Amino acid sequence: MDTLTTSSTDLYSLNIGGMTCASCVGRIEKTVQKITGVEAISVNLATEQARVRVTHDSPTTIDIIIKAIQKTGYEASPSDPLGKSSRQDTRPSWDMDGLTKVLISFALAIPLTLPMILMPLGIHWSLNPWWQLALATPIQFILGWRFYVAGLKSLIAGVGNMDLLIAIGTSSAYGLSLYQLIMQSNDVYGLYFEGSAIIISMVLLGKWLEARAKKQTSEAIRALKKLWPENAKVLDTLVKNDALNLTEYRVLPIEQVLPTDRIIVLPGERIPVDGILLFGQGHVDESLLTGESEPVRKHIHDQVIGGSMNGEGALIIQAQAIGIESVLSKIISLVEEAQTKKAPIQKLVDQVSAIFVPSVIAIAVLTGVANWLYLDSVPIAILRAVSVLVIACPCALGLATPAAIMAGTGVAARFGILIKDPQVLEFAHRINVVAFDKTGTLTMGRPRLIEIIPLANENAHIEDILATAAGLQLGSEHPLAKALLEYTAEKNIIPFTALENLSIAGIGIEGKPISGSWANKLLCLQSIASLRDNPQYKNIEPRITSAMLKGHTISILRAKSEDSSPIAAFMFGDEIKANAKEAIDALHSLGIHTAMISGDNQSSADRVGTLIGIDEVFAQVMPSDKATIIEKLKTSIINKDRQWVAMIGDGINDAPALAVADVGMAMSTGTDVAIQSAGITLMRGDLSLVPNAIDISKRTWNKIRQNLFWAFIFNTAGIPLAALGYLSPMVAGSAMALSSFFVLSNALLLKQWRLKALH
């Protein structure tokens, strides 16, 4: 059971069985929404899953929700924490999707349809009426019993569904034929047993094809789930006689592995947990997790991801994240969440579906009455009403949107693009402005300390300044902090320990060193941009002009008191990512305006912008102002029309801008806060994923529109044709079944999508 707890709500994930159309979705949502404490519910027909948000202090439990769903006639079970279904399908593989029922149904129905097939050939032959009854009855009441059960339950619940339409339609055709047989037993031409039989057969075939297609749309999720090894080799002894001991280990179920356990992974095995590489080196295949096509070289102290495939070397890993805390689990959770959520357009479809079935029944009744009065023929009136009931089943309508979302998000995940919010798809196809953060997004995010300039005292010892600044940064994960600490280590300088360290997002860090020239003074190491309004800025600027012109990132070490002179300036250089220019060119080829938002000085930002061809550069921007700039970009930079803006970032200070943008894309190399704020997560720091993410989003949105168009066409065009007698019940049943299969097949075309190489 996937239960995520916040301070005020619980989120339950459920597997739902027995749904057939969009009306089923509405029925379940309506039932669960009435339960005390339920804040929201989202049911997905294609994934057959539901997510229910419940008030944290509510007495409502998942068992109460399951029982409520079961009372409405559907199956329900909790989802496993790792995203695996808790439902066990005990049917043999050959009967998994009802194929046996389909084959038996057609075997019985074909003799009934032979007279119609032979008639155009000039062969007039008909099956004995009582044999027709014998063949049609098991189809109607054994193979078709599921329609009666589900239809009756929906009728009791006051919500019609596809099963109800099928049950009414086929029963009408069967009942009319039985009446004719009893009243005129020798009239073989007044019987319509073949109509009810072939309708049920075609619907069963359609459901089987639909189930097969659903499995293909969720293939990416199933492939990710299979990456989890069931066991891990946990070492009892790490080192023996100064050599690695690879034999003394216990094989434990993955659920029993704990953080800090040391795991041995042999060549060709999957890595069972996220962790740090302690011993060994080699290549690791992370393609199914990050979309990276080439194996990644791993060295000691590198991070490894659970589910990736070990290459040629034996590895010893210290476990860090296991189960639902692992990267693989979070990837599956993000993709499943996207596939379970509804795009805004789907909500309109659900509203239409809620009134669709009763409307169709009303149209069928009017059709029957009108044809009876006009043609004075009860059999023809009933058959045309049956055709209306059958052709109007809203299966394709309910599957149109979720099938496209499943296929699109699934194939995107295969290539390292995680679309976690379907609403993104509705905005992504409109994007005409893309804004980038600089450090860690357009650049490598691994700056080097190039120069230290004393500001307060020319004779100050550089070693003293460096040890003081490094002490403030101890334990920090910021790229500039790492560069400072690496430089300090290279110079064999021991940092001065600092107390009361406090990180100030987007500005810097402060603390009190306990030794050195500035012992017990509150110091701050901060970005040059954060000092723009400080009186000391004018005194600093002439000393750092040269570095600014070179495009260096600059941090200032100073005492917190206003009258204290700045102590030193630190100059950092960062390398631009190899494919940054190609990514910007690709966006330009799509007619997209590009911008860069950076906290660095103007010269540094302009240098990067010029080298890679950025259209517009915003420099020396405070974190709180990044979201404001995104809002401005939405208004009028190209023309007076509303602009649709995507923001690409990776840091905590990018989170507000990512949230404000129409589409936020976070690099997975960044922080969890940024990733949670974004609608799309790029699983590696490859900028080629940005135009590709926009491309797959557009293609998925186009499939949604195509599917909805064809689903509506099948229904709106089919109903009047059936009412006027141009569609027989058999043809109507075939068209209804094939419409669902067509919609799913159209969505599956997205599986052919591949990353586009940048030139």
Side-chain angles (χ1 to χ4, degrees):
M1 177 182 68
D2 180 16
T3 308
L4 303 178
T5 304
T6 66
S7 59
S8 58
T9 60
D10 292 332
L11 181 65
Y12 297 118
S13 180
L14 301 169
N15 299 303
I16 308 294
M19 294 188 296
T20 56
C21 64
S23 297
C24 299
V25 172
R27 179 182 169 196
I28 293 172
E29 290 181 340
K30 183 179 179 182
T31 300
V32 175
Q33 194 71 59
K34 293 178 180 178
I35 300 174
T36 303
V38 172
E39 286 190 354
I41 175 174
S42 176
V43 179
N44 188 298
L45 176 62
T47 61
E48 296 185 326
Q49 284 193 324
R51 294 212 169 196
V52 186
R53 192 169 70 240
V54 180
T55 305
H56 188 48
D57 57 359
S58 168
T60 298
T61 64
I62 191 169
D63 291 331
I64 293 174
I65 296 170
I66 288 174
K67 288 178 181 178
I69 294 173
Q70 290 173 340
K71 284 182 180 178
T72 61
Y74 301 95
E75 301 171 13
S77 61
S79 182
D80 187 85
L82 299 184
K84 301 173 184 176
S85 173
S86 61
R87 292 179 296 176
Q88 298 296 322
D89 200 325
T90 57
R91 291 175 294 174
S93 59
W94 50 268
D95 190 40
M96 187 63 70
D97 298 320
L99 179 58
T100 302
K101 290 182 179 179
V102 173
L103 294 176
I104 293 173
S105 182
F106 273 99
L108 296 173
I110 286 174
L112 295 172
T113 59
L114 275 178
M116 297 182 62
I117 298 173
L118 296 175
M119 193 175 295
L121 302 177
I123 302 174
H124 297 279
W125 170 84
S126 61
L127 194 64
N128 181 280
W130 296 101
W131 275 109
Q132 292 185 42
L133 175 64
L135 292 172
T137 299
I139 297 177
Q140 185 71 38
F141 297 109
I142 298 177
L143 300 175
W145 186 247
R146 53 166 287 184
F147 300 116
Y148 287 100
V149 173
L152 180 61
K153 287 180 178 179
S154 73
L155 197 60
I156 293 173
V159 183
N161 63 2
M162 167 194 138
D163 294 314
L164 180 62
L165 298 183
I166 296 296
I168 293 174
T170 58
S171 296
S172 300
Y174 180 89
L176 174 63
S177 301
L178 184 60
Y179 173 80
Q180 294 282 76
L181 176 61
I182 294 172
M183 299 302 295
Q184 303 176 22
S185 59
N186 295 322
D187 184 10
V188 297
Y189 299 104
L191 305 181
Y192 306 97
F193 287 118
E194 78 282 352
S196 61
I198 203 67
I199 287 171
I200 290 176
S201 300
M202 288 304 301
V203 173
L204 291 175
L205 174 62
K207 299 309 293 180
W208 177 73
L209 293 172
E210 181 183 304
R212 299 271 296 187
K214 282 180 182 178
K215 287 187 177 182
Q216 292 183 55
T217 58
S218 58
E219 187 177 282
I221 287 292
R222 294 200 315 277
L224 286 172
K225 289 178 180 178
K226 289 178 181 178
L227 296 183
W228 256 303
E230 293 183 1
N231 302 304
K233 297 181 176 70
V234 179
L235 286 174
D236 290 322
T237 306
L238 182 61
V239 178
K240 187 175 183 179
N241 297 328
D242 297 325
L244 290 180
N245 179 15
L246 305 183
T247 59
E248 295 184 13
Y249 61 80
R250 291 173 294 159
V251 178
L252 296 179
I254 192 68
E255 295 83 4
Q256 294 185 19
V257 177
L258 299 175
T260 73
D261 278 347
R262 293 183 172 98
I263 313 295
I264 178 172
V265 185
L266 300 177
E269 292 183 340
R270 290 207 176 273
I271 297 172
V273 297
D274 294 359
I276 298 289
L277 183 57
L278 295 179
F279 294 99
Q281 59 180 347
H283 290 85
V284 173
D285 182 359
E286 299 177 345
S287 56
L288 276 176
L289 294 165
T290 66
E292 178 62 62
S293 57
E294 297 295 328
V296 180
R297 183 75 177 177
K298 296 292 183 180
H299 301 87
I300 291 176
H301 303 313
D302 283 350
Q303 293 273 350
V304 293
I305 305 174
S308 52
M309 178 71 77
N310 184 23
E312 69 279 9
L315 308 178
I316 295 181
I317 297 160
Q318 180 169 304
Q320 287 187 319
I322 298 129
I324 60 175
E325 297 299 323
S326 66
V327 170
L328 176 56
S329 179
K330 290 177 180 177
I331 291 173
I332 292 175
S333 179
L334 284 174
V335 178
E336 285 190 327
E337 184 178 356
Q339 294 184 344
T340 305
K341 281 183 178 179
K342 294 180 180 178
I345 195 170
Q346 179 64 24
K347 295 176 182 177
L348 174 62
V349 174
D350 290 345
Q351 291 173 357
V352 172
S353 298
I355 61 172
F356 195 80
V357 172
S359 300
V360 167
I361 293 175
I363 293 172
V365 171
L366 289 174
T367 298
V369 172
N371 278 276
W372 176 35
L373 294 175
Y374 182 73
L375 299 175
D376 195 24
S377 172
V378 173
I380 293 177
I382 291 177
L383 288 178
R384 291 185 178 181
V386 169
S387 297
V388 170
L389 289 171
V390 174
I391 192 65
C393 290
C395 304
L397 201 58
L399 289 168
T401 300
I405 290 175
M406 285 179 67
T409 56
V411 73
R414 282 178 52 201
F415 294 100
I417 301 168
L418 301 185
I419 302 172
K420 73 173 188 179
D421 186 355
Q423 184 170 328
V424 166
L425 301 172
E426 198 157 339
F427 295 147
H429 75 284
R430 304 176 180 178
I431 288 174
N432 52 10
V433 179
V434 174
F436 292 88
D437 170 54
K438 183 176 81 68
T439 303
T441 303
L442 292 172
T443 63
M444 296 298 292
R446 293 194 296 269
R448 295 174 294 108
L449 179 57
I450 297 172
E451 185 181 4
I452 303 173
I453 301 176
L455 297 175
N457 184 354
E458 295 286 351
N459 298 319
H461 292 292
I462 295 296
E463 292 81 0
D464 199 18
I465 294 173
L466 190 56
T468 300
L472 295 176
Q473 297 283 26
L474 284 173
S476 174
E477 291 296 316
H478 192 280
L480 296 183
K482 289 182 178 180
L484 178 58
L485 292 170
E486 286 173 3
Y487 185 86
T488 305
E490 289 172 5
K491 298 296 183 181
N492 295 317
I493 296 173
I494 299 175
F496 297 143
T497 302
L499 303 177
E500 301 179 22
N501 282 20
L502 176 65
S503 178
I504 307 171
I507 295 178
I509 192 166
E510 63 180 42
K512 292 181 179 181
I514 62 174
S515 55
S517 302
W518 295 274
N520 300 316
K521 290 185 178 180
L522 183 59
L523 304 182
C524 185
L525 183 62
Q526 61 191 99
S527 67
I528 187 67
S530 64
L531 281 170
R532 282 178 299 175
D533 299 327
N534 191 289
Q536 294 288 345
Y537 183 78
K538 291 183 179 180
N539 298 328
I540 301 172
E541 190 174 20
R543 306 287 303 277
I544 61 174
T545 300
S546 175
M548 293 174 67
L549 292 175
K550 293 177 183 178
H552 293 157
T553 299
I554 302 171
S555 293
I556 304 296
L557 178 65
R558 71 181 188 91
K560 285 286 285 186
S561 56
E562 291 294 330
D563 57 347
S564 298
S565 299
I567 298 168
F570 295 81
M571 315 300 172
F572 298 90
D574 195 3
E575 182 181 354
I576 296 173
K577 288 185 177 179
N579 59 357
K581 188 176 189 322
E582 289 78 3
I584 299 303
D585 290 343
L587 292 172
H588 287 160
S589 68
L590 296 173
I592 293 175
H593 182 88
T594 56
M596 183 176 75
I597 307 174
S598 175
D600 284 346
N601 62 77
Q602 190 71 50
S603 298
S604 176
D606 285 341
R607 170 180 167 272
V608 173
T610 301
L611 286 174
I612 62 178
I614 289 283
D615 295 319
E616 191 168 8
V617 174
F618 298 90
Q620 295 180 253
V621 179
M622 296 294 290
S624 57
D625 296 332
K626 286 189 176 183
T628 303
I629 290 176
I630 294 296
E631 291 286 9
K632 289 180 179 178
L633 288 173
K634 288 182 179 180
T635 54
S636 180
I637 60 172
I638 305 172
N639 50 49
K640 294 182 180 180
D641 295 331
R642 155 76 153 97
Q643 307 302 312
W644 296 88
V645 181
M647 171 68 188
I648 323 296
D650 72 329
I652 292 176
N653 57 356
D654 298 322
L658 289 168
V660 168
D662 296 305
V663 176
M665 296 188 198
M667 298 285 188
S668 69
T669 50
T671 64
D672 285 343
V673 175
I675 292 171
Q676 291 301 320
S677 301
I680 296 177
T681 298
L682 308 178
M683 286 306 297
R684 59 184 190 274
D686 185 351
L687 287 169
S688 68
L689 294 181
V690 175
N692 277 291
I694 294 173
D695 181 61
I696 185 59
S697 297
K698 287 183 175 181
R699 290 174 184 270
T700 303
W701 177 250
N702 287 337
K703 285 298 178 189
I704 291 173
R705 293 194 298 181
Q706 290 170 17
N707 281 353
L708 287 175
F709 171 78
W710 287 112
F712 276 111
I713 285 295
F714 272 115
N715 287 128
T716 55
I719 290 174
L721 289 175
L724 295 173
Y726 292 106
L727 293 179
S728 69
M730 288 187 295
V731 174
S734 302
M736 186 276 293
L738 291 175
S739 66
S740 296
F741 183 66
F742 175 84
V743 163
L744 285 163
S745 299
N746 188 45
L748 285 172
L749 292 176
L750 285 169
K751 291 180 63 179
Q752 306 301 318
W753 181 83
R754 295 293 182 271
L755 289 177
K756 291 183 178 179
L758 302 182
H759 302 288

